[in-house]
Amino acid sequence: MSVLVVGSVAYDSVKTPFGEVDKALGGSATFFSAAASFLTDTQLVAVVGEDFDISDLDFLRERGVDLSGLDVVAGETFRWKGHYGYDLNEAKTLSTELNVFETFDPKLSEKQRKAEFVFLANILPELQLSVLDQVESPKFTVVDTMNLWIDTKAVELGEVLSRVDMVVINESEARQLAGEANTFRAIERIREMGPKFVVVKRGEYGALLSAHGNHFFAPAFPLESVFDPTGAGDTFGGGLVGTIARNGRFDEATLRQGVVVGSVLASFAVEKFSLDRMRTLKWSEVVARYQKMQALTRFDTLTIE
Ligand code: AMP
């Protein structure tokens, strides 16, 4: 089954303690699609300006991503500038230039309206709502967001949350959204806002899934060198929602598998700047790392009486 993603396709300028890049390919929908396309058919909906080099997305097209929903319009592509200190879990946004997103009004095609699995990647909540209005009868809808929209678009974001099945959110943003310092309480508050399933991303500490009345913790894959954490969250989302769509269901076992697939894919994404590692990644490498994650978290029944 296929996934529809709406989000940003961007040019990022990123500085980490290990180097910097300017005008590198980025965007929430780009990272998501690079990951989800390993698992399922992926349709991307976004907008870029005339300055965008479409050949930057050839690797996605080669992996079967349907880019017919990418509008190219007059103006400049969305730009994000971010900076990371030695704590790579927290990006500091230096600037966000919406540019062509200011006037973007996505019109879904017949095929896109029939999408069964929908990921509303981090982008203006109004655009997320417009997509929710147009999809006909999705089986499972997921939203990601960020502090900027929690601060500036609380009403619109609240409406999105009331209409989706799952939210995937950073731990600090979960606390901010819920107005709760404790993560588990924050999850409960967020659930009261609408989504039955809550996934909290905790950077190098992994991810926490709250679903079907249970909690599940997945660690992050232990990497010795993290180069650029940009896009880790969206890549994680692509692995998770891709797994759900591939299986066509969202029972607890599938969701747990999806969280681990997401963590594994994200661990590759952060090994190089921009989408560079995702361009060359092979599914066999993902499987090998998944197996290591399994070994890392397995423990026996307690035998001490
Ligand atoms: P992540 O590190 O997973 O949160 O995603 C980072 C990506 O999201 C970058 O490639 C940015 O281009 C994109 N991004 C950052 N801020 C925004 C925003 N306000 N709206 C849409 N996309 C954004």
Side-chain angles (χ1 to χ4, degrees), residues 121-150:
N122 178 24
I123 191 58
L124 283 158
E126 289 95 319
L127 296 182
Q128 297 178 324
L129 279 174
S130 157
V131 169
L132 281 179
D133 285 341
Q134 295 177 63
V135 285
E136 284 165 10
S137 49
K139 245 181 146 168
F140 200 69
T141 51
V142 185
V143 67
D144 188 2
T145 192
M146 72 182 297
N147 47 8
L148 175 66
W149 311 128
I150 299 171

Side-chain angles (χ1 to χ4, degrees), residues 85-107:
Y86 279 101
D87 178 0
L88 293 168
N89 288 326
E90 210 65 60
K92 188 169 182 308
T93 295
L94 301 177
S95 68
T96 301
E97 295 167 28
L98 288 179
N99 298 333
V100 290
F101 270 107
E102 302 242 27
T103 49
F104 185 47
D105 182 17
K107 295 271 175 285

Side-chain angles (χ1 to χ4, degrees), residues 7-14 24-31 78-81 84 91 93 95-96 98 101 121-124 144-149 170 173 201 228-236 275:
S8 57
V9 171
Y11 279 138
D12 290 347
S13 298
V14 180
L25 179 64
S28 52
T30 324
F31 281 103
F78 176 86
R79 297 289 300 259
W80 179 74
K81 274 197 181 121
Y84 297 86
T93 295
S95 68
T96 301
L98 288 179
F101 270 107
N122 178 24
I123 191 58
L124 283 158
D144 188 2
T145 192
M146 72 182 297
N147 47 8
L148 175 66
W149 311 128
N170 288 344
E173 288 157 0
K201 296 176 285 184
D228 173 13
T230 308
D234 305 304
T235 308
F236 172 89
L275 282 113

Side-chain angles (χ1 to χ4, degrees), residues 210-223:
S210 172
H212 302 289
N214 296 317
H215 290 310
F216 170 67
F217 293 84
F221 187 78
L223 287 177

